[in-house]
Amino acid sequence: MSIKRLEKFQSYNMNLVDLQQQQALKRYIARSSERERIASELQTKNPLEVDTPERVTLRKAIIDPRDGLAIERIIGQDDLFPISYLEAGLQAARPVCRIEIRDRIGRVLGHATGFLVSPSLLLTNNHVLENYDSAQFSRAQFNYEVDLDLKERPMKTFRLTPERLFITDQKLDFTLVAIEDMSADGAKVSDFGFLPLIPQTGKGLVGEYVSIIQHPSGAPKAVAIRENQIMDVFDDYIHYSTDTMPGSSGSPVYNDEWIVICLHHAGVPDPKDAAKFIANEGIRISSIIQFVVEQSANLGEDQKLLINDIVKGWEVQGPTTEEMVVEELSDSWYEGSTGYDTQFLGDDYEVPHPIFRSDLEQDVAQLKDGSNVLHYTHFSIVMSKSRRLAYYTVVNIDGNQLRKIGRNDKWYLDSRIEIEYQCGPELYKNNPLDRGHLVRRLDPVWGDSAERANKDTFHFTNCAPQQSKLNQKTWLDLENYILDNAENSNLKVTVFTGPVFRMDDIIYRGVQIPAEFWKIAVIVKKDGNLSATAYLQTQKNLIEDLEFAFGEYKTYQVPISKIEETTGLDFEDLRNYDPINQLESTIGYVIDAPEDIKL
């Protein structure tokens, strides 16, 4: 490579790093007020009280019960560790390597950090290895450390093998690439172990201290231990105060259990002094895993096997299906449950239950008392006999009275309906199927009966098996956006949700697994009129005239008539309040972000 080409490469790399830093700064500035609120709370509360109940639940689940001081460290009341903590740190450091970035003739262009996440795969930043060629010519150097005598240990160098697997994304700034099994001098990459990745969120809480192992400026391996506090958590990123230097890009950031919580990638530049940084930013491991899983559908069989090496053991992280407590509540629990209120939005805005198409009426499961609607606290459900899942759920959401209630670890079979009409724990045991809430857990949790509503959402009747590629974040963001943007002062929303039942749905353990889900949200607008919007999340090419990649879940805003046609449910007058009602029923809008919704 000529000097001119080298300068061009370095300039491009600097521009990419600068872009990542500027985007990190925008995120930092946008959350300034929220971060100040969190910092204020942390002065009187601890991370277990400040972070969300869901994230706290997982954080507790991954603590070794034999470590009696773990909770004390998290809440900042004790810095004592068992001496084995240092040994565990050494073990967590072995999979970390220096990446030597080279061109096609072997010229060294720079250095960064990476780490093994399986016996054959290495993780680093996109701005470190941004394409196939850069990975092909670069090298991973393990054991680049100094010993007790401050002498360098013998370094082991391995080639990367992107021809076996290469997945990268500039937005999340990560690259996952295969590595050769044996170096030229006969060293085995498996001797260095790997850092297992946990897909669930909540591995690091706001206010908790973290550590980072790195090759700063390409120097021998170094560690910054617990002088680094998580400042903020975004959808895909974490901000923390960690001592890092150039060359630290691609480093793992650990919690106190030496579990990787994010991939370090950028500093947050001080807008008042370009030479200083006010925070550092890492990409959340859960976001990287979600991206990789979504991409795996398009990979060859050999590549899928490599990905499987990462996902092994995911089902045992946190509470397992076998540990799930399943009970029945007494009949007295349901006494007085009136369920969904059809006039919840106001006396002049009745929103009735949908009417079933005549050929579906015989498939509606009856309760033991002869009725056909299961009433819970602030929501109701109608079940299918043949599918053993809900035809639909409908919930009243009062945004002014929402309360934060911790998750319930118990799931319930409903004693009011025959067991044969409910899919229980046997469907979800030892597989990656999610037990997806149809009525979202937080939606009915409002008012004086919030705790009761929270418990009610954990009925198997409110559960549907959802495949791992389902984009739950986009799906759940819909209700948040609609609620946040309801123009009437009452902030009330009615939401219908259900699966799409199709004849060609795959059969698993005797149950047909829905490939699609729908939702209808109803609000009262400022002008006094109703607004009813419908959404379809699918991995099938059901909607004409739209670009679509088979195997990927996408969310569409569709006319209510499309949902009626697809499900056999008649929502009567609601279609007249649909802002896209005039469109043909086969056309909709892709929802990439909540702001794409047409209210």
Side-chain angles (χ1 to χ4, degrees):
M1 176 181 282
S2 67
I3 296 297
K4 189 173 183 179
R5 291 183 64 191
L6 175 60
E7 290 175 346
K8 183 178 179 181
F9 171 85
Q10 292 174 334
S11 175
Y12 172 81
N13 186 259
M14 290 179 65
N15 289 338
L16 195 56
V17 171
D18 184 63
L19 174 63
Q20 298 289 354
Q21 292 177 350
Q22 292 305 314
Q23 291 174 339
L25 177 59
K26 287 181 180 179
R27 286 186 281 269
Y28 183 90
I29 293 173
R31 293 268 293 187
S32 294
S33 59
E34 176 68 8
R35 190 170 51 258
E36 289 174 2
R37 181 191 66 79
I38 292 171
S40 176
E41 287 190 17
L42 286 172
Q43 292 180 1
T44 57
K45 298 180 180 180
N46 63 67
L48 296 177
E49 298 173 308
V50 172
D51 220 313
T52 64
E54 293 83 0
R55 288 168 49 78
V56 169
T57 297
L58 176 76
R59 186 68 188 90
K60 290 180 177 180
I62 59 179
I63 292 174
D64 191 319
R66 293 168 294 184
D67 187 354
L69 297 173
I71 295 295
E72 296 296 312
R73 288 195 297 272
I74 291 175
I75 64 179
Q77 295 182 351
D78 202 322
D79 286 329
L80 290 176
F81 286 84
I83 198 65
S84 59
Y85 173 80
L86 299 177
E87 186 177 356
L90 286 174
Q91 184 175 336
R94 286 185 59 77
V96 179
C97 66
R98 182 176 75 165
I99 295 179
E100 192 169 74
I101 308 166
R102 301 182 181 181
D103 64 13
R104 63 176 59 248
I105 62 173
R107 185 169 181 169
V108 177
L109 307 178
H111 293 95
T113 306
F115 55 99
L116 293 169
V117 296
S118 85
S120 305
L121 298 177
L122 181 140
L123 185 65
T124 188
N125 293 133
N126 165 270
H127 76 257
V128 172
L129 300 175
E130 54 112 6
N131 56 39
Y132 182 99
D133 286 345
S134 62
Q136 185 178 34
F137 304 129
S138 298
R139 299 291 184 264
Q141 299 170 328
F142 292 85
N143 213 40
Y144 183 42
E145 308 169 5
V146 293
D147 61 19
L148 293 177
D149 296 323
L150 299 182
K151 295 180 180 179
E152 290 187 7
R153 300 182 189 275
M155 186 168 58
K156 302 298 180 181
T157 301
F158 293 80
R159 289 190 316 108
L160 303 177
T161 55
E163 65 274 12
R164 295 169 61 205
L165 182 78
F166 184 81
I167 299 176
T168 193
D169 182 64
Q170 185 173 329
K171 178 178 179 293
L172 290 178
D173 194 19
F174 83 91
T175 290
L176 182 68
V177 61
I179 187 170
E180 66 179 350
D181 297 330
M182 187 173 293
S183 66
D185 63 356
K188 296 179 180 178
V189 73
S190 59
D191 289 342
F192 296 94
F194 64 92
L195 298 173
L197 304 182
I198 298 178
Q200 294 96 329
T201 64
K203 297 178 287 295
L205 305 179
V206 173
E208 187 175 357
Y209 290 90
V210 295
S211 303
I212 183 167
I213 296 176
Q214 56 196 294
H215 282 279
S217 300
K221 193 177 297 175
V223 60
I225 300 180
R226 299 195 89 242
E227 291 298 325
N228 331 299
Q229 190 174 29
I230 297 177
M231 304 165 63
D232 205 351
V233 177
F234 300 78
D235 289 340
D236 297 319
Y237 306 93
I238 293 178
H239 281 182
Y240 46 92
S241 54
T242 300
D243 294 328
T244 59
M245 298 176 64
S248 299
S249 292
S251 302
V253 180
Y254 307 83
N255 63 17
D256 278 345
E257 285 70 49
W258 294 106
I259 292 172
V260 184
I261 66 170
C262 63
L263 171 69
H264 176 71
H265 87 125
V268 180
D270 188 338
K272 299 178 181 178
D273 186 346
K276 297 180 179 180
F277 292 90
I278 50 180
N280 273 329
E281 182 177 82
I283 307 102
R284 294 175 63 176
I285 290 298
S286 54
S287 297
I288 293 173
I289 288 174
Q290 180 178 341
F291 184 96
V292 170
V293 169
E294 290 172 354
Q295 292 295 307
S296 64
N298 304 317
L299 300 177
E301 291 305 315
D302 290 343
Q303 294 174 315
K304 287 181 180 179
L305 288 175
L306 290 174
I307 295 297
N308 285 341
D309 284 338
I310 301 180
V311 306
K312 284 179 181 176
W314 278 3
E315 68 276 3
V316 300
Q317 300 294 347
T320 66
T321 305
E322 290 86 349
E323 297 169 349
M324 180 176 56
V325 179
V326 180
E327 297 181 359
E328 281 191 20
L329 296 168
S330 64
D331 290 342
S332 62
W333 172 265
Y334 305 100
E335 292 178 0
S337 296
T338 57
Y340 166 67
D341 179 1
T342 60
Q343 293 186 310
F344 176 71
L345 299 180
D347 293 340
D348 298 329
Y349 305 102
E350 183 176 11
V351 182
H353 286 263
I355 299 171
F356 281 84
R357 199 173 58 210
S358 58
D359 61 307
L360 298 179
E361 290 178 350
Q362 61 184 1
D363 188 49
V364 175
Q366 285 193 339
L367 279 62
K368 293 175 182 178
D369 65 3
S371 62
N372 58 17
V373 180
L374 290 163
H375 294 303
Y376 298 97
T377 307
H378 302 151
F379 68 98
S380 298
I381 297 175
V382 176
M383 298 290 292
S384 162
K385 289 192 295 186
S386 62
R387 300 297 289 260
R388 301 170 60 198
L389 300 170
Y391 262 117
Y392 71 87
T393 66
V394 57
V395 60
N396 301 130
I397 309 173
D398 189 333
N400 280 328
Q401 299 189 66
L402 289 174
R403 291 176 54 190
K404 287 187 176 181
I405 303 292
R407 287 182 65 91
N408 173 29
D409 291 329
K410 296 179 181 179
W411 283 81
Y412 304 99
L413 293 163
D414 196 318
S415 60
R416 296 174 295 172
I417 189 172
E418 298 293 347
I419 297 295
E420 63 188 89
Y421 300 146
Q422 305 176 61
C423 288
E426 69 281 352
L427 175 60
Y428 303 94
K429 185 177 181 179
N430 295 328
N431 60 45
L433 287 177
D434 291 335
R435 297 186 301 275
H437 282 70
L438 292 174
V439 171
R440 188 174 59 157
R441 184 182 71 85
L442 300 178
D443 285 353
V445 180
W446 52 268
D448 295 337
S449 52
E451 291 189 9
R452 184 183 183 89
N454 179 63
K455 194 170 184 177
D456 274 351
T457 63
F458 283 86
H459 278 82
F460 281 104
T461 51
N462 186 42
C463 183
Q466 294 180 340
Q467 299 178 34
S468 60
K469 291 194 289 290
L470 186 70
N471 189 351
Q472 296 181 50
K473 179 183 179 301
T474 301
W475 192 236
L476 296 181
D477 277 353
L478 290 174
E479 288 178 27
N480 284 337
Y481 180 81
I482 293 165
L483 187 62
D484 292 342
N485 289 274
E487 292 181 297
N488 65 305
S489 60
N490 290 326
L491 287 174
K492 291 183 176 181
V493 184
T494 287
V495 177
F496 295 87
T497 305
V500 176
F501 294 149
R502 293 189 178 275
M503 295 294 293
D504 61 350
D505 286 336
I506 63 170
I507 298 176
Y508 177 71
R509 296 183 179 177
V511 177
Q512 283 190 280
I513 308 299
E516 302 142 315
F517 294 85
W518 58 270
K519 188 181 294 287
I520 295 176
V522 189
I523 61 173
V524 178
K525 297 190 298 182
K526 189 175 182 179
D527 61 10
N529 292 317
L530 286 177
S531 172
T533 51
Y535 311 92
L536 182 66
Q537 191 168 74
T538 178
Q539 68 174 41
K540 294 191 173 186
N541 194 359
L542 300 176
I543 304 175
E544 299 173 2
D545 302 322
L546 290 173
E547 293 182 3
F548 197 88
F550 183 82
E552 295 182 359
Y553 274 99
K554 290 195 176 184
T555 299
Y556 298 88
Q557 182 175 350
V558 297
I560 289 177
S561 55
K562 176 63 182 177
I563 303 300
E564 293 177 318
E565 172 193 335
T566 304
T567 64
L569 300 174
D570 183 352
F571 289 91
E572 301 183 276
D573 291 341
L574 275 189
R575 69 180 74 92
N576 298 327
Y577 303 104
D578 185 349
I580 62 172
N581 182 48
Q582 302 303 317
L583 296 177
E584 296 179 12
S585 63
T586 55
I587 298 177
Y589 297 95
V590 176
I591 303 296
D592 289 322
E595 293 76 13
D596 297 330
I597 295 172
K598 300 180 185 298
L599 293 175

